[in-house]
Amino acid sequence: MATFPGSTQLIVGPGFKDGLMPGFPVNPESDLLESDFEGRKVVEVVFEGLKIGEFRPTEYLPIPEEVNTGAVFDHASPRGFCPKSLFEKLTPHNKPFYQASEKAAYDYAKMEDTIMKLEAFDAAENVWVVIARDGSLLEPEIGVEFFPTGTLNNWKKDDLAEKTRWTFLKDFEVAAKAAV
């Protein structure tokens, strides 16, 4: 977080402040550094009364007939597409590929609730959902330009949501090949 100026707000999910702040060394048990929060406004999102929308696919965003994988799969067709059937055997219809571990959150119930609320956002055309530590964003062929030399202001024009939406399926390449 030190890469961004102090004027950049940090937007976090419910329970973040109680569970992870203050940071180290003020709290020796914290996985985060207190210096990451110094001089920065930390805003905790509150979902109370907000109705929106697991990880894709979902009832809102099922796997398409052809999955645009770009250059991330060795076995993709020359057009960079893989058939839906390649992945359907790995998860029930429109069910997520990933399930969060109870060890992954300070408050597991809140974490699950937050993930479920992302579903409708993920399917919305005017929203680009980016999950933390999504390594596909670093792949040059995707074309994401990061701060301080780039901007994400043109994400929709650059079609970044569509380019990145299904790239997580590369994690299942070996299993998908074996299932066919």
Side-chain angles (χ1 to χ4, degrees):
M1 290 179 267
T3 301
F4 299 102
S7 60
T8 303
Q9 294 183 18
L10 179 60
I11 311 298
V12 299
F16 181 93
K17 287 181 175 181
D18 288 340
L20 298 171
M21 292 180 74
F24 182 86
V26 176
N27 175 4
E29 300 297 317
S30 180
D31 293 329
L32 303 173
L33 298 174
E34 182 64 18
S35 60
D36 289 337
F37 307 111
E38 287 176 356
R40 183 180 312 280
K41 184 175 181 181
V42 179
V43 179
E44 192 169 80
V45 176
V46 177
F47 290 111
E48 298 294 321
L50 178 63
K51 174 124 173 77
I52 57 177
E54 293 166 345
F55 291 108
R56 323 165 178 88
T58 66
E59 63 180 291
Y60 301 103
L61 190 65
I63 296 177
E65 291 303 315
E66 288 189 324
V67 178
N68 184 353
T69 60
V72 297
F73 284 99
D74 292 336
H75 65 281
S77 73
R79 295 182 304 137
F81 287 88
C82 290
K84 174 182 181 177
S85 61
L86 191 65
F87 301 102
E88 284 184 322
K89 293 180 181 176
L90 302 180
T91 187
H93 182 67
N94 297 339
K95 296 295 182 193
F97 282 83
Y98 294 108
Q99 295 293 326
S101 166
E102 287 191 38
K103 295 178 182 178
Y106 169 73
D107 185 327
Y108 182 73
K110 282 185 180 178
M111 180 187 67
E112 279 193 318
D113 185 54
T114 301
I115 291 171
M116 289 181 63
K117 289 175 179 176
L118 284 174
E119 291 179 353
F121 272 133
D122 194 28
E125 291 183 19
N126 63 337
V127 175
W128 178 26
V129 172
V130 176
I131 305 298
R133 298 184 180 97
D134 182 351
S136 70
L137 301 176
L138 301 174
E139 295 173 10
E141 64 272 10
I142 299 293
V144 177
E145 297 179 15
F146 291 99
F147 175 88
T149 59
T151 178
L152 297 178
N153 291 342
N154 296 319
W155 69 267
K156 192 168 184 175
K157 180 179 74 75
D158 294 341
D159 205 23
L160 292 178
E162 189 57 36
K163 287 179 181 177
T164 59
R165 177 166 284 129
W166 299 105
T167 56
F168 78 96
L169 290 174
K170 71 181 176 179
D171 295 347
F172 301 97
E173 180 177 12
V174 173
K177 285 180 181 178
V180 175

